[in-house]
Amino acid sequence: MPPINAPVTAQELSTLSTKAIDAKAAAYCPYSKFRVGACILTASGEFVVGANVENVAYPVGTCAERVAFATAIVAGHKEFRAIAVATDITPGASPCGMCRQ
Ligand SMILES: [Zn+2]
């Protein structure tokens, strides 16, 4: 297992990107129509994906990054090396303000 601060390899970056893009297909965004996919690389080398999940009550929706982190944490992962976020816009969007905190 590489150290937590090990640079992301080109192969890991490629996998993060592909999985984040593919995760957009799982987005539930009937209100905004703004699909977001995310993929996390855990310290143990696993890739965990998430997609945004909206609710008619706006604040209840969950961004793709938080879905990915919650999924990873519930699976027992507590340390992460990298995250990729994919959208359908160019240039791509950065992680949401809540996640950047
Ligand atoms: Zn977020």
Side-chain angles (χ1 to χ4, degrees):
M1 187 162 61
I4 191 77
N5 61 349
V8 176
T9 68
Q11 180 60 52
E12 289 170 333
L13 183 60
S14 175
T15 302
L16 276 166
S17 176
T18 299
K19 288 183 177 290
I21 291 167
D22 290 349
K24 290 187 300 181
Y28 179 74
C29 52
Y31 309 105
S32 72
K33 313 286 192 221
F34 190 80
R35 301 185 314 155
V36 184
C39 182
I40 295 171
L41 173 59
T42 70
S44 61
E46 292 187 47
F47 294 90
V48 181
V49 298
N52 55 326
V53 179
E54 294 182 346
N55 187 285
V56 69
Y58 173 70
V60 181
T62 307
C63 69
E65 309 94 281
R66 282 184 286 147
V67 169
F69 278 116
T71 301
I73 288 168
V74 168
H77 302 285
K78 301 290 188 288
E79 294 183 308
F80 310 101
R81 291 182 51 219
I83 182 169
V85 179
T87 66
D88 291 322
I89 61 171
T90 302
S94 63
C96 78
M98 188 179 296
C99 288
R100 282 186 272 167
Q101 290 295 313

